[in-house]
Amino acid sequence: ISDPEFDDSARVYSLQISVPIIDDEEGTIVGVMRTTLNTIALQELINEQSFGQTGHAELFTATGEELIDGRSESSIGTGELPEATVQTFVGSEQGTDTATDEAGNSLLFSYSRVKVTETVPNWILLVRQDTSEALQTANQSLRNGLLITLVALGIAVIVAFFLSRSITQPLGELS
């Protein structure tokens, strides 16, 4: 199975798939069965994987060459990945990291190798999103937690004040 390549005759990206035909008795290759698979369905699947304003998926070859960029029109503002970032995920199986793209946007990305077969070079599926958007829910939860803590602390101070007055006032009258 090859990496997707542009097929000039069909004007689409396609994969070349070849399978050897082996003689059972002699164990020798007597022919090759070959077909071309249009990658439109694969491209559409990756293009559907968008989330938020900046989140999208991308497919890379095992060497880091971009095959499919799933950016929607709403995420066009995101920049290309620097070569150092590409080499980070080319050199490992899977992971999550942060980086800055060429447009200067801070981004959070996760990646994993996609094994087609044992003999085919692995593709790499990368999903990325602008860090501020990706962490927006966590930041909102942190703000809400701090606000609740401050309110609870304020209520505790007021209760402590009135409780201390209820104890000290009778003592003052008594003395």
Side-chain angles (χ1 to χ4, degrees), residues 11-115:
R11 313 225 12 99
V12 295
Y13 281 91
S14 61
L15 299 170
Q16 304 298 322
I17 302 174
S18 302
V19 179
I21 300 171
I22 300 173
D23 183 348
D24 284 338
E25 294 175 8
E26 297 181 25
T28 59
I29 296 175
V30 294
V32 174
M33 185 169 49
R34 180 181 164 269
T35 188
T36 302
L37 178 66
N38 187 332
T39 62
I40 289 176
L42 178 62
Q43 289 172 328
E44 288 174 353
L45 180 66
I46 290 177
N47 289 343
E48 289 173 4
Q49 306 308 312
S50 65
F51 38 93
Q53 296 296 312
T54 60
H56 64 276
E58 297 175 57
L59 188 65
F60 291 83
T61 65
T63 60
E65 179 185 341
E66 188 174 64
L67 295 173
I68 299 173
D69 186 347
R71 282 183 242 200
S72 64
E73 285 127 29
S74 63
S75 64
I76 293 299
T78 58
E80 298 298 321
L81 294 173
E83 185 60 30
T85 303
V86 172
Q87 292 310 313
T88 298
F89 62 80
V90 166
S92 58
E93 286 293 314
Q94 63 184 12
T96 300
D97 206 345
T98 58
T100 303
D101 63 19
E102 291 181 350
N105 301 317
S106 175
L107 56 101
L108 176 67
F109 65 95
S110 291
Y111 56 92
S112 182
R113 292 198 175 267
V114 179
K115 288 193 176 208

